[in-house]
Amino acid sequence: MRAAKAEAVMPDGQPQIDRLFHALGDPTRRAILDALVHRPASVSKLATPLGITLTAVIQHLEILENAGFVHTEKLGRVRVCRLEPGGLDTLEQWIREHRTAWEKKLDRLGEALREEYEGN
Amino acid sequence: MRAAKAEAVMPDGQPQIDRLFHALGDPTRRAILDALVHRPASVSKLATPLGITLTAVIQHLEILENAGFVHTEKLGRVRVCRLEPGGLDTLEQWIREHRTAWEKKLDRLGEALREEYEGN
DNA sequence: CAAATTGTCAAGTCAATACTTCAGTATCAT
DNA sequence: ATGATACTGAAGTATTGACTTGACAATTTG
């Protein structure tokens, strides 16, 4: 995810969308989410079945939190992690929007197949 | 996206899902998709507004193709790139599935709030 | 055919990621 | 108070990822 050279349209990327996709792009993080679907859990409870260190889990949790998928809160010496309600909403909306445009245009593909990039 | 150490449940990750999220996690690739929504395009047509080299675009296209979002085909010296119909289907399905479980469990949060990790 | 267009390949750079280890800090239990 | 638990923070390592450059190859086009 490096910054693109400045020129023309250069997408700076909606950083929130970036965070969503990036967070879900890692299998370990998806496993954490799956675990949290069943019940809230502490950092070490999450770490054990994953076979990685606490530190690594915390790092993943930070990413998941920034993406709005989980919320964590420290109770005593334990950090309790839960799913964030509505965490998937933004993502779902992104997909809905894009899917609409996507399908809409593809419908015209039959007619436009050749001419569309003839003049360009 | 490094391989996790072998132990316990270690999620190897459904590689297809990995590819989907990874592909969409980059703003440049999303910009390419947005461009292709309007019309099919050649590699250089895609490259110009992005301000990156042809080579870079080709690399992105490979990723988008592997994720099933675009299809490219070489006609003469030009590579024509189009959106792949149904490219978002798998992703949508993933979200639907997870959203269901997600919401289902969260409904019980009120009652379970404290007891759920008491015995654990 | 020669020149221009369009893309491809192999390598290399540099930053971001996914981990780790190790040395603390805060809480809880006895 | 002592020791065990549960996490935190800083720093380091190795792999991936997003680009580039530069040397080709394959089509057009004049």
Side-chain angles (χ1 to χ4, degrees), chain B residues 1-2 4 42-44 54-55 58-59 74 77-79:
Chain B
M1 241 175 242
R2 218 176 143 200
S42 69
V43 177
S44 20
L54 288 198
T55 305
I58 291 174
Q59 286 161 6
K74 193 129 187 197
R77 66 182 164 179
V78 174
R79 176 169 300 278

Side-chain angles (χ1 to χ4, degrees), chain A residues 6-112:
Chain A
E7 213 173 292
V9 177
M10 190 188 89
D12 71 351
Q14 304 168 295
Q16 177 58 18
I17 302 289
D18 279 1
R19 278 191 288 269
L20 294 182
F21 284 124
H22 173 233
L24 294 178
D26 182 277
T28 300
R29 284 193 286 271
R30 291 199 306 274
I32 289 177
L33 291 181
D34 285 348
L36 292 180
V37 163
H38 301 307
R39 71 192 113 281
S42 69
V43 177
S44 18
K45 276 288 178 303
L46 289 172
T48 306
L50 293 171
I52 56 179
T53 61
L54 289 197
T55 305
V57 173
I58 292 175
Q59 286 163 5
H60 284 303
L61 284 171
E62 236 169 83
I63 292 171
L64 289 169
E65 253 189 300
N66 286 335
F69 290 129
V70 309
H71 172 74
T72 75
E73 136 189 52
K74 192 128 190 198
L75 296 185
R77 65 184 164 176
V78 174
R79 175 168 300 277
V80 179
C81 315
R82 337 172 162 287
L83 285 189
E84 185 74 60
L88 288 178
D89 289 354
T90 310
L91 189 60
E92 231 182 349
Q93 191 190 333
W94 184 93
I95 292 190
R96 241 196 327 275
E97 285 167 6
H98 283 72
R99 186 148 145 86
T100 307
W102 199 296
E103 306 286 296
K104 206 171 276 173
K105 296 294 178 170
L106 284 173
D107 284 349
R108 307 183 204 157
L109 246 187
E111 9 162 338

